[in-house]
Amino acid sequence: MDVKELEQLIGKNFHYYQTGHVADYIPALAQVNPEQLGMAIYDLKKNQLIEAGDSQVRFAIESMSKVPVLLLAIQDNGIDKVFQTINTEPTGFAFNSILNMELNHRHHPMNPFVNAGAIATTSLIAGKDPEDKFNRILAFMKEICDDPQITLNEEIYHSESRTGDINRSLAYYMKGNQMIDGDVSEILDVYFKQCSVNVTAKGIAKLGAVLANKGIAPWSGQQIITEESATIVKSIMTTAGLYDESGEFSVHVGVPAKSGVGGGLMVAVPNYYGMGVFSPALDAFGNSAAGIQLLKDVVEKLDVDIFD
């Protein structure tokens, strides 16, 4: 695929933004222009990145942050400890539902990508205080996205914090049931911040490329994460990366992906591609409406459905 072909597919799918709505339950995200669509694709075989549309517009990483934070938690604690705390099962419930801890899982969050599991993951990040923990997360995001310009969006952070009562209830429930250790308010402060950093589709494509490339950054040859970590995270992305739309996405698109309510989508096609998409209008499941349609076309064009 070349840039011209990607531009054509963006033009074809742009109108789908009209079928969605920005995440207006977070006041700062309610102000984002929904009429945006951009994509970046890192081709591992050619070791090159192509991009088109709004691929360099900065937007809130939101739940896509759960991927690098999970990878950092594995580095800090090892795989066994992380997955003794958090399960790896898919969910049919909303990403912020308490049922993601309650049913058949002995009081553990069902996976690291629902909010309860993500908060538990954040609680495992090493650091002497909340500021140190967040700075380690931020530095790791900059490295794995190859983007030194990633910064905290203070407006979104404060907006997240003001409206985060369901997340607080999930965190205190976990603390009360001995699922997590540490000070709940400090854990949540780090969590709200990790969701509020500004990224681009280009940087997200590079994150996807590291996962697709067995943990090696293709632009430098550096092993940023272990191959085992990359494999585990891609597996969970396949079953739980798009919440309760994950099954339908696997059927119709068929690549490991993770979404965020800022309008981002991150894809890792093993051994072939890392992809980043941005379009902020969301469908009923909280996933990018135009972004998913664009991904369908791109995956079909490249013939990389992993289930084919």
Side-chain angles (χ1 to χ4, degrees), residues 261-282:
V261 297
L265 287 162
M266 186 269 289
V267 168
V269 182
N271 305 311
Y272 287 98
Y273 298 100
M275 303 179 188
V277 182
F278 167 60
S279 187
L282 310 178

Side-chain angles (χ1 to χ4, degrees), residues 157-225:
Y157 158 58
H158 291 298
S159 197
E160 288 270 359
S161 184
R162 283 195 304 270
T163 60
D165 289 338
I166 290 179
N167 287 324
R168 290 186 177 88
S169 69
L170 296 173
Y172 280 107
Y173 179 89
M174 287 190 288
K175 178 72 172 181
N177 284 279
Q178 294 80 52
M179 298 186 200
I180 59 173
D181 296 321
D183 182 277
V184 170
S185 62
E186 292 183 355
I187 294 166
L188 285 168
D189 191 59
V190 177
Y191 177 72
F192 292 139
K193 284 180 177 177
Q194 78 180 50
C195 292
S196 303
V197 302
N198 282 330
V199 294
T200 65
K202 179 179 179 180
I204 293 302
K206 289 189 168 185
L207 168 56
V210 174
L211 290 170
N213 200 39
K214 299 181 171 64
I216 299 170
W219 55 88
S220 68
Q222 180 186 358
Q223 187 91 42
I224 295 180
I225 57 173

Side-chain angles (χ1 to χ4, degrees), residues 15 26 28 52 58-59 90 124 200 280 300 306-307:
H15 69 95
I26 300 173
R58 294 213 168 260
F59 63 96
L124 297 173
T200 65
E300 182 177 355
I306 65 170
F307 301 110

Side-chain angles (χ1 to χ4, degrees), residues 13-21 34-36 279 281-283 289-290:
N13 289 283
F14 179 76
H15 69 95
Y16 282 109
Y17 84 85
Q18 298 173 357
T19 68
H21 303 278
E35 298 180 35
Q36 300 182 85
S279 187
L282 310 178
D283 64 19

Side-chain angles (χ1 to χ4, degrees), residues 23 25-30 32 59-69 95 113 115 118 141 153 155-157 159-161 163 167 191-199 204 243 258-264 282 286:
Y25 58 91
I26 300 173
L29 295 184
V32 176
F59 63 96
I61 192 172
E62 294 294 340
S63 283
M64 290 187 299
S65 71
K66 297 169 183 177
V67 172
V69 174
F95 57 87
F113 295 159
N115 286 16
M141 288 180 176
N153 185 315
E155 182 183 6
I156 292 176
Y157 158 58
S159 197
E160 288 270 359
S161 184
T163 60
N167 287 324
Y191 177 72
F192 292 139
K193 284 180 177 177
Q194 78 180 50
C195 292
S196 303
V197 302
N198 282 330
V199 294
I204 293 302
Y243 310 120
K258 183 71 193 82
S259 63
V261 297
L282 310 178

